[in-house]
Amino acid sequence: MSAIAAQLQHRTGRAVLDALAAVGRFAQLVAEMGRGLAEWRIWLPRTRDECWSIGVGSLFIVLLISSFAGAVTALQAGYQFTGNIPIYVVGSLVTESIVLELGPVLVGLVLAGRIGARYAAELGTMRVTEQIDVIITMGVSLVQYLLSPRLIASVLMLPLFYILYTTVGLFGGYLVAVQLLNIDPGVFFDRI
């Protein structure tokens, strides 16, 4: 019985130490990113390019998903509320669904999937073609050159895409509510 207890203690201790080591490595990365912000000549031009790449590359998919999300939310609300709840609440329901629930989740998922896959492919290709080794040999910090621009660009573009998603989603809901559900446009906007 004592051998099992000793083995359990060993495994628990190893798991705790591994978790603490991961937290320490993350803290070192965050500290290096903070120190690297002073070197704005390295990360600022790359951040601008990353923002442009994220914006242009993700614009179509965000517009497509937001317009369909708004339209489907309005359509489902209109059909579900037939007879039970007044139809004029569709505007407030679409607004609350798009702004509070669907917007942040879908924008985050789309951008995380699209941008995350792109970054993984780029960095994997750079590792295979030994570009990362060249950057290290030149004495440039990988965090300042590769990580900081991508992270800052992602943080800057996420709220902009959320605003765009909300606007287009509400417009899609408006079109469905007015054209298919025959809700007065003034009533729809009043409920927003």
Side-chain angles (χ1 to χ4, degrees), residues 73-85:
T73 302
L75 191 63
Q76 284 292 36
Y79 287 135
Q80 294 294 324
F81 289 168
T82 305
N84 298 335
I85 298 174

Side-chain angles (χ1 to χ4, degrees), residues 93-136:
L93 181 75
V94 168
T95 302
E96 288 182 18
S97 297
I98 294 294
V99 171
L100 297 177
E101 297 169 10
L102 292 175
V105 171
L106 290 180
V107 168
L109 283 174
V110 166
L111 292 182
R114 187 192 173 285
I115 296 167
R118 182 176 145 243
Y119 287 165
E122 281 180 4
L123 295 175
T125 302
M126 289 179 79
R127 174 59 74 190
V128 168
T129 58
E130 298 179 353
Q131 294 176 30
I132 291 178
D133 297 332
V134 171
I135 293 170
I136 292 171

Side-chain angles (χ1 to χ4, degrees), residues 23-186:
V23 169
R25 286 191 302 272
F26 181 73
Q28 285 178 333
L29 178 68
V30 170
E32 188 174 348
M33 284 184 66
R35 284 191 307 266
L37 290 178
E39 297 292 330
W40 60 271
R41 288 188 184 108
I42 294 174
W43 60 265
L44 187 63
R46 295 190 48 81
T47 301
R48 186 185 62 238
D49 295 341
E50 290 295 329
C51 284
W52 176 258
S53 177
I54 290 171
V56 170
S58 303
L59 186 63
F60 176 73
I61 193 164
V62 169
L63 291 175
L64 182 72
I65 288 174
S66 63
S67 60
F68 279 122
V72 168
T73 302
L75 191 63
Q76 284 292 36
Y79 287 135
Q80 294 294 324
F81 289 168
T82 305
N84 298 335
I85 298 174
I87 195 80
Y88 60 81
V89 274
V90 170
S92 60
L93 181 75
V94 168
T95 302
E96 288 182 18
S97 297
I98 294 294
V99 171
L100 297 177
E101 297 169 10
L102 292 175
V105 171
L106 290 180
V107 168
L109 283 174
V110 166
L111 292 182
R114 187 192 173 285
I115 296 167
R118 182 176 145 243
Y119 287 165
E122 281 180 4
L123 295 175
T125 302
M126 289 179 79
R127 174 59 74 190
V128 168
T129 58
E130 298 179 353
Q131 294 176 30
I132 291 178
D133 297 332
V134 171
I135 293 170
I136 292 171
T137 303
M138 290 174 24
V140 177
S141 170
L142 288 177
V143 173
Q144 292 174 11
Y145 191 76
L146 295 177
L147 183 63
S148 292
R150 287 172 167 82
L151 183 64
I152 293 169
S154 299
V155 168
L156 289 175
M157 295 305 288
L158 190 63
L160 296 177
F161 274 119
Y162 170 70
I163 292 168
L164 179 68
Y165 179 96
T166 302
T167 305
V168 173
L170 291 177
F171 183 71
Y174 167 79
L175 288 178
V176 167
V178 170
Q179 298 296 322
L180 295 178
L181 301 175
N182 296 323
I183 296 175
D184 184 54

